[in-house]
Amino acid sequence: MMAPTHLLVANPMAQSGRNATRIDVALGLLRAAGLPARLLPTEPGGRTVQAVRDALAEEPYRCVIAMGGDGTFREVAEGLLESPRRDSVALGMLPAGTANNHGRSFGLRAGERALERNVRVLGAGRETRLDAGKLHAMDGAGRTVARATFFDSVGFGIGAAVIAARNVDRDRVQRRGKAFALYRDELVYAGALIRTLVASQSPDVDFVAEVVADGARSEARLTELLIRGTRVYAGGWVVDPTSRHDDGLFEVFPFPTRRDWLRRATVGLSVGPLARARLIAPTAPPGTRRASRIDVHFRVFEGGAPPPCQLDGEEFPRVERASIEVIARALRLIVPDK
């Protein structure tokens, strides 16, 4: 039996254990393609990052594969980024999540039906480079409260509020057992989106931010500040069709009002009838900037709080200040042929 050359990182317990069967299928397809793989189960509490680092230190894998959603991708990519072997190990994807921002940004679909094609992509081994972002979060006095790595986006305001509402709804329907099968994933997100959009104006998602992007300063009242590294956001929104994942720059998108945010989301869909009608905006939104270093300071008034925050599609603690640095072309990423 050939020694494993690939490390497959996945969660066998996902979807009440049903993901274990999909993992077995993936391992069989990889073996048949001449890409023997060892399974590394994900661990809770962010410990997957260290598990990936340890596994790469123990065995000479050529490739580490993230099988799961955008959260799994982030943890696997961060583990590789922190490994001394990051330049000698490629990163592959077998997307299995709902949003699938990373996979969709490069033309990979998620799910069982896409497994065979995605394994063929891994076998072909075509590579690009992927930028990474380092977030340094601080309180109002400039004291560090958190650090994080991201590969997709960090956002402040209404988008993060929708994600927080989605998580509340998801936990609620999960407790209802079988009802979860009828109301999950996209429907949960859609319900949270509608509820957040129709809510009355609130300081929670309307804030004042000072942004310094590569030395250029601006200050404005916003409903969303989105900073992105890849093309697809929220599972199907191409905010800027001209963005690049390997140019060492992240796009900074300020949205002054909910109407601006919703209008851009509507015309920027990469899936569905609007996309097929070619209504995607051909240029970046007004006010977009590209930068390798972004510093943000939120104006928090008495009795208020900083806006909600999301990092790679998951809730992140609210902060008054944040500094973001781009690590240019940080990882080798396997992608389909153009």
Side-chain angles (χ1 to χ4, degrees), residues 237 239 241 255 259-268 281 283-286:
W237 176 8
V239 189
F255 294 94
R259 179 175 295 179
D260 296 324
W261 186 83
L262 183 60
R263 181 184 63 82
R264 193 70 194 189
T266 301
V267 301
T283 59

Side-chain angles (χ1 to χ4, degrees), residues 293-326:
R293 170 68 183 257
I294 304 109
D295 296 288
V296 184
H297 180 199
F298 299 104
R299 304 299 186 193
V300 178
F301 303 103
E302 185 175 356
C309 177
Q310 65 85 12
L311 184 136
D312 276 2
E314 297 297 334
E315 289 183 84
F316 191 79
R318 299 173 186 239
V319 295
E320 291 189 44
R321 295 175 180 267
S323 291
I324 296 158
E325 181 180 358
V326 180

Side-chain angles (χ1 to χ4, degrees), residues 152-320:
D152 173 32
S153 70
V154 60
F156 307 90
I158 192 169
V162 171
I163 288 170
R166 175 207 66 183
N167 290 344
V168 171
D169 287 353
R170 186 168 57 187
D171 291 344
R172 183 183 298 121
V173 297
Q174 277 181 317
R175 290 195 295 270
R176 295 178 181 175
K178 292 183 179 179
F180 184 52
L182 301 176
Y183 182 68
R184 58 177 297 173
D185 299 339
E186 291 92 344
L187 289 178
V188 173
Y189 186 88
L193 172 63
I194 293 169
R195 193 170 71 253
T196 303
L197 285 172
V198 301
S200 60
Q201 295 292 321
S202 164
D204 227 22
V205 292
D206 294 286
F207 54 92
V208 175
E210 177 190 22
V211 181
V212 181
D214 280 350
R217 179 188 175 279
S218 65
E219 183 170 328
R221 187 172 187 85
L222 304 172
T223 196
E224 168 86 355
L225 177 65
L226 180 62
I227 299 165
R228 289 200 46 73
T230 49
R231 293 182 73 245
V232 174
Y233 174 62
W237 176 8
V238 178
V239 189
D240 177 7
T242 68
S243 66
R244 293 285 308 173
H245 58 277
D246 59 354
D247 60 0
L249 302 172
F250 281 178
E251 287 73 40
V252 183
F253 306 108
F255 294 94
T257 68
R258 297 183 189 205
R259 179 175 295 179
D260 296 324
W261 186 83
L262 183 60
R263 181 184 63 82
R264 193 70 194 189
T266 301
V267 301
L269 290 173
S270 64
V271 294
L274 290 176
R276 289 194 292 270
R278 300 187 183 277
L279 293 179
I280 297 176
T283 59
T288 298
R289 285 181 282 175
R290 289 180 168 85
S292 59
R293 170 68 183 257
I294 304 109
D295 296 288
V296 184
H297 180 199
F298 299 104
R299 304 299 186 193
V300 178
F301 303 103
E302 185 175 356
C309 177
Q310 65 85 12
L311 184 136
D312 276 2
E314 297 297 334
E315 289 183 84
F316 191 79
R318 299 173 186 239
V319 295
E320 291 189 44

Side-chain angles (χ1 to χ4, degrees), residues 33-100:
L35 310 173
R38 168 204 159 195
L39 173 65
L40 177 68
T42 59
E43 298 189 15
R47 295 195 297 274
T48 300
V49 176
Q50 186 61 48
V52 169
R53 281 195 63 181
D54 292 344
L56 295 178
E58 292 167 1
E59 299 290 342
Y61 298 109
R62 301 200 315 261
C63 176
V64 56
I65 306 167
M67 182 178 181
D70 292 322
T72 299
F73 181 95
R74 189 195 67 78
E75 291 190 335
V76 173
E78 183 176 357
L80 177 57
L81 184 68
E82 294 181 356
S83 168
R85 298 190 60 225
R86 80 181 201 194
D87 290 329
S88 60
V89 178
L91 175 62
M93 296 180 279
L94 292 179
T98 302
N100 184 27

